[in-house]
Amino acid sequence: ADGEAITAEMVPELAIQSFPLCMRQMQDTLKTSKHLKHEGRQQYGLFLKGIGLSVEEALAFWRKSFSTITDDKFNKEYRYNVRHQFGLEGSRKNYTPKSCTAIITGPVPGAGQVHGCPFRHHSETGLTSLLHSTLGSTMSNADLKEILAATKNGHYHVACTRVFELQHAKLPGGASVQKGDGLGGGDSVDHPNRYFDASRKAIKE
Ligand code: SF4
């Protein structure tokens, strides 16, 4: 995050505007089930740290998101983990957000888990419904076909880049994504945080 101070309250709106599908899915799950399992909290928590949430804002975010549990339970079971991600507990390691490769080759999500990369870990049906719910009418049938074909061929970064383009196709002021907007990896998505940064840049321009 280049200088933009991110607060817990801003996350839901930012998720719609600028998060890649993997993180958007976690925000949506958090909203509906008020919980995320451990691997999801790791992947999403480090991403949120990467976009610029301070440890205080991260604690506020998770506390608010886990709205069905008591403060006591939150403090006992989750607080340490959040602080740990910021290197403030245990081995005090400065954990960095996971890259696409780390997410794609990392732990496979099991039942009830939504971490991982939707392009790699979802069935075609699951991915299609996630794409419909996040992109709505912005995505044509031809777009969907293109994304599914890239996914089937294992070109997850190509599919994700196409989603990025669609997500930003209707920006106010008609901004569109240009080559060199900073996605990295030869202008295709290779890191969820790079996706976010490129999105903020495209939106501000
Ligand atoms: Fe997330 Fe990377 Fe998969 Fe895109 S390609 S959904 S940024 S893990």
Side-chain angles (χ1 to χ4, degrees):
D2 41 347
E4 194 177 16
I6 309 277
T7 63
E9 277 181 3
M10 290 159 71
V11 172
E13 185 58 29
L14 286 172
I16 293 168
Q17 291 180 354
S18 298
F19 286 11
L21 219 51
C22 53
M23 304 303 172
R24 172 69 189 271
Q25 143 171 279
M26 285 201 269
Q27 181 59 30
D28 289 351
T29 301
L30 210 42
K31 193 180 162 193
T32 50
S33 60
K34 321 291 180 204
H35 190 75
L36 265 190
K37 296 197 182 213
H38 179 77
E39 284 297 340
R41 296 200 304 275
Q42 271 311 99
Q43 182 179 322
Y44 195 35
L46 291 175
F47 168 79
L48 292 175
K49 175 184 166 186
I51 73 168
L53 251 74
S54 63
V55 66
E56 290 78 22
E57 289 300 323
L59 284 166
F61 172 79
W62 290 106
R63 178 65 200 99
K64 211 175 160 199
S65 300
F66 286 14
S67 58
T68 55
I69 63 168
T70 62
D71 279 341
D72 192 43
K73 186 173 163 78
F74 180 82
N75 288 335
K76 273 187 191 140
E77 293 177 26
Y78 302 106
R79 200 182 151 77
Y80 180 95
N81 243 231
V82 176
R83 288 177 47 82
H84 193 261
Q85 289 179 347
F86 282 79
L88 298 171
E89 303 281 2
S91 56
R92 301 194 170 244
K93 189 170 171 254
N94 185 22
Y95 295 94
T96 50
K98 290 186 182 187
S99 68
C100 294
T101 304
I103 292 171
I104 286 165
T105 60
V108 175
Q113 293 184 311
V114 289
H115 64 270
C117 170
F119 300 105
R120 170 66 183 86
H121 297 120
H122 270 321
S123 66
E124 191 168 297
T125 321
L127 178 60
T128 301
S129 84
L130 182 63
L131 287 165
H132 277 304
S133 70
T134 50
L135 291 170
S137 61
T138 318
M139 179 181 64
S140 69
N141 276 335
D143 295 327
L144 176 63
K145 267 194 191 149
E146 200 185 320
I147 294 166
L148 293 178
T151 304
K152 215 171 202 168
N153 289 322
H155 300 147
Y156 311 124
H157 58 293
V158 174
C160 193
T161 303
R162 191 72 194 105
V163 171
F164 181 94
E165 288 166 354
L166 293 171
Q167 190 180 13
H168 298 83
K170 288 183 180 164
L171 286 175
S176 63
V177 185
Q178 302 296 328
K179 282 243 170 252
D181 257 343
L183 276 168
D187 278 329
S188 68
V189 178
D190 65 359
H191 199 296
N193 287 89
R194 192 121 48 181
Y195 186 115
F196 176 81
D197 290 342
S199 171
R200 299 322 287 164
K201 191 170 168 236
I203 287 168
K204 278 184 208 140
E205 270 165 4

